[in-house]
Amino acid sequence: MDLSAINPVLLFASLMVAATPVLIAAIGELVVERAGVLNLGVEGMMITGAICGFAAAVTTGSPLVGFIAAAAGGAGLSLLFALLTQVALANQVASGLALTLFGLGLSALFGQNYVGLKPPPTARLDIPVLSDLPVVGRIVFGHDPVVYFGLLLLVAVWAFLKFTRAGLVLRAVGENHTAAHALGYKVVRIRVLAILFGGACAGLGGAYISLVRVPQWTEGMTGGAGWIALALVVFASWKPWRVLLGAWLFGGVTVLQLNLQAAGLEIRAEYLSMSPYLVTILVLVIMSGHRSGSPGSLGRTFHASQ
Amino acid sequence: MHMKKRTFLAGAASAIGVSAFGTVSAMAQDKKVKVGFIYVGPVNDGGWSQHHHESALAMVKALGEDKVELVEQDNVPEGPDAERAMTQMALNGCDIIFATSFGYMDPAMNVAKKFPKVKFEHATGYKTADNMACYSARFYEGRAIEGTIAGRMTTTNKIGYIAAVPIPEVVRGINSSYIHAKKVNPDVEFSVIWLFTWLDPAKEADAARTLIEQGCDVILQHTDSTAPLAAAQAAGNVIGFGQAGDMIEYAPKPRVASIIDNWAPYYEERVKAVADGSWETHNVWEGLSTGMVKIGEITDAVPAEVKKEAEDMIAAISSGAYHPFTGPLNKQDGSVWLKEGEVADDGTLAGMTFYVEGLKGDVPS
């Protein structure tokens, strides 16, 4: 085994890239769940975002337009979920699962003509001097803009939930929708907005996979990242910073296990390959302890008559 | 989460109608041969599944749409789902079913037992029955060419290998490319990453990037997508090879050559055999000599003398003058596998689960 082949700086830089899609999707889902809605359709919205973003970027030649289209695509699909669960009062679990299946099929259909194409490259940030600094340069200043966007989004969501009045209302709706309704808050409207935000985030996360991380279009290319994002939210006890920790752990172990395999570590490759899932869940479960902290109205259907 | 999508080609819908009204098909003068195909990935994966699909279309074109009816299903997971998909095809009146991934072997065998009149053809496996044949290609012959080019062209002497699922076919590929890279460049080292999947572009991209970060400047892949080539392109001075398909869109660099699977002639021959009643089970393994394995254009990114060397080897393997597994070769633990001048027999190759001497790590089981 030759561990010296592993460069810790590059490892950390790669970890941030590998974590970004799940991180962005998980932040969106966190807001949705804090509003009391369980949307299991993250995978479907991610893959829809992946193809919408890819198609738009290839057509216009601009990655930025691609990411905007991805957010719109993800939000568009989530609107369907919002209609089903908030207006038609359908079961959230069933609707979410249906959304995933629908998204996978829809994206495969849209994607037929985009196979084998290359998207325009998303430029890495290149700040003179700063990006050339040893260690810090590559880790802190050497990424594409989406990585920073993901981190900013996390800070923004954390601050929104913790410090703003709107954030408090959103949490109130999630904790007890009847009480929130009695206080005069528009439960359905707030939830629909949260669902749309979640959809847009999932779409962005998906587009990051198809436009930056891979970058190309293949059916089913999100490969379960949406389910990881969902699991992260739960195991992170609905707390933004723990979502970041979970995403980095997941990304970190994913990248690390590849590095260890490539360096010829004498551990069976099967164990290494399942390690990202095991380690992430284990750490977050231990951290969350006995307090589950799930929003009180999570997954429950709300109707003003109740 | 897997999503199963049924891809029925044009005639298939009407075919169901025909079989639903048995009298119609009984009255028909020339009965069409109904051919089923199942694929492990989407038919547009750019690699393995796409080339089976394109070969199937070529077969239909060659034999005539009035003679053959094609039913296809892609994204069929290996395991019980495959059994269900093939049972459905058999029930719908398929005369012959091609199962085009290694993991379909036992499911195909189970379905074959239930439908003794339906013929089954399984790709890259080794089990046969009276109504189940298997066919495979000697991809390791192509890997010998790749290994030679890789060994000559690496400047860091580190070659990365993205391995898919631990089955003999993949292990043969690693051994063959390593032996030939080592032969032309004794300093060469291989780093192997196992992904346990045939197709997952995100994982493939991560694996390729990891290998490149560890200093590999040649990436060999046994997974089906073009993601590793995209990573090689982004990294700049890294080369790779097309896998299963030509992947020519990445030529002349990073894709400097490719191994192409050409199944069409075989499909044509076998479907014809079903039509005239001469189909019999067999276990065939063809390579460069019959054209089932082809080497795609070697681009100008490869120095002329290396290209010449590769072409000479293609000729030698095609003519039978050279076998990629010729002794002296030792197993990883140092024990003798093949003595000087000895050539590996097909039985050993078919069940190959060991690395040759010099490779690091273990073959997962």
Side-chain angles (χ1 to χ4, degrees), chain A residues 40-288:
Chain A
L40 296 182
V42 182
E43 178 80 2
M45 300 185 297
M46 278 186 93
I47 192 88
T48 305
I51 185 58
C52 289
F54 190 84
V58 166
T59 313
T60 63
S62 153
L64 181 67
V65 175
F67 280 107
I68 293 169
L77 194 65
S78 73
L79 188 63
L80 187 67
F81 176 83
L83 285 174
L84 285 172
T85 60
Q86 303 307 308
V87 180
L89 304 184
N91 178 292
Q92 293 178 9
V93 172
S95 307
L97 291 173
L99 199 69
T100 288
L101 295 175
F102 179 62
L104 285 167
L106 189 73
S107 61
L109 182 68
F110 281 168
Q112 302 274 342
N113 300 326
Y114 292 96
V115 172
L117 298 179
K118 291 180 220 169
T122 308
R124 246 192 218 164
L125 209 61
D126 193 13
I127 312 165
V129 188
L130 283 183
S131 296
D132 297 331
L133 289 174
V135 187
V136 197
R138 184 68 189 86
I139 294 178
V140 185
F141 300 108
H143 291 286
D144 53 85
V146 188
V147 172
Y148 303 106
F149 176 79
L151 295 173
L152 282 177
L153 191 68
L154 177 91
V155 176
V157 163
W158 168 73
F160 169 77
L161 289 174
K162 197 171 169 71
F163 298 118
T164 69
R165 187 179 162 76
L168 184 66
V169 172
L170 183 127
R171 281 188 289 142
V173 166
E175 287 300 334
N176 189 331
H177 51 215
T178 321
H181 176 65
L183 287 170
Y185 296 119
K186 307 278 186 213
V187 174
V188 171
R189 185 185 302 167
I190 290 164
R191 284 188 169 167
V192 169
L193 288 174
I195 291 169
L196 287 176
F197 177 76
C201 287
L204 279 176
Y208 188 73
I209 298 179
S210 65
L211 288 178
V212 182
R213 191 162 160 216
V214 173
Q216 63 170 17
W217 165 252
T218 315
E219 270 176 44
M221 69 179 307
T222 45
W227 299 105
I228 301 293
L230 267 169
L232 278 185
V233 176
V234 177
F235 291 121
S237 308
W238 295 269
K239 291 184 171 62
W241 293 105
R242 289 194 188 174
V243 167
L244 177 69
L245 177 79
W248 276 8
L249 256 177
F250 180 74
V253 184
T254 304
V255 177
L256 184 66
Q257 69 97 357
L258 292 174
N259 271 286
L260 290 176
Q261 267 206 58
L265 183 74
E266 304 285 335
I267 293 183
R268 301 196 70 91
E270 295 94 326
Y271 296 124
L272 286 174
S273 149
M274 66 172 102
S275 59
Y277 307 91
L278 281 181
V279 172
T280 310
I281 290 174
L282 213 64
V283 169
L284 291 174
V285 164
I286 291 169
M287 277 187 64
S288 64

Side-chain angles (χ1 to χ4, degrees), chain B residues 206-339:
Chain B
D206 285 347
R209 265 196 287 272
T210 300
L211 290 166
I212 293 166
E213 282 170 8
Q214 292 203 5
C216 298
D217 63 352
V218 182
I219 303 291
L220 302 177
Q221 66 174 96
H222 205 127
T223 47
D224 297 347
S225 91
T226 51
L229 285 173
Q233 191 165 42
N237 224 8
V238 176
I239 60 164
F241 298 84
Q243 154 67 9
D246 203 12
M247 303 188 177
I248 196 78
E249 65 270 25
Y250 285 92
K253 220 181 151 197
R255 174 222 168 274
V256 295
S258 62
I259 299 179
I260 303 174
D261 309 340
N262 181 26
W263 307 105
Y266 180 77
Y267 289 158
E268 209 182 308
E269 175 197 324
R270 298 302 277 171
V271 172
K272 217 186 266 170
V274 169
D276 60 26
S278 65
W279 190 96
E280 269 178 27
T281 185
H282 64 193
N283 181 349
V284 296
W285 206 9
E286 295 174 13
L288 286 169
S289 60
T290 60
M292 193 180 264
V293 176
K294 280 189 189 166
I295 302 297
E297 183 206 342
I298 301 174
T299 67
D300 292 340
V302 179
E305 69 274 13
V306 178
K307 186 173 176 177
K308 172 82 171 50
E309 191 177 7
E311 280 166 351
D312 288 348
M313 187 178 276
I314 296 173
I317 294 174
S318 303
S319 69
Y322 176 67
H323 189 292
F325 291 107
T326 303
L329 285 173
N330 291 347
K331 294 186 181 180
Q332 190 181 29
D333 59 12
S335 63
V336 177
W337 173 34
L338 296 171
K339 289 195 277 295

Side-chain angles (χ1 to χ4, degrees), chain B residues 38-41 48-49 52 76 78 98-106 121-125 135 167 198 224:
Chain B
I38 60 169
Y39 310 110
V40 69
W48 180 262
S49 295
H52 278 287
V76 179
E78 298 179 334
F98 290 88
T100 63
S101 188
F102 180 80
Y104 295 152
M105 181 162 65
D106 291 326
E121 294 264 356
H122 176 243
T124 67
Y135 61 101
I167 60 167
W198 292 111
D224 297 347

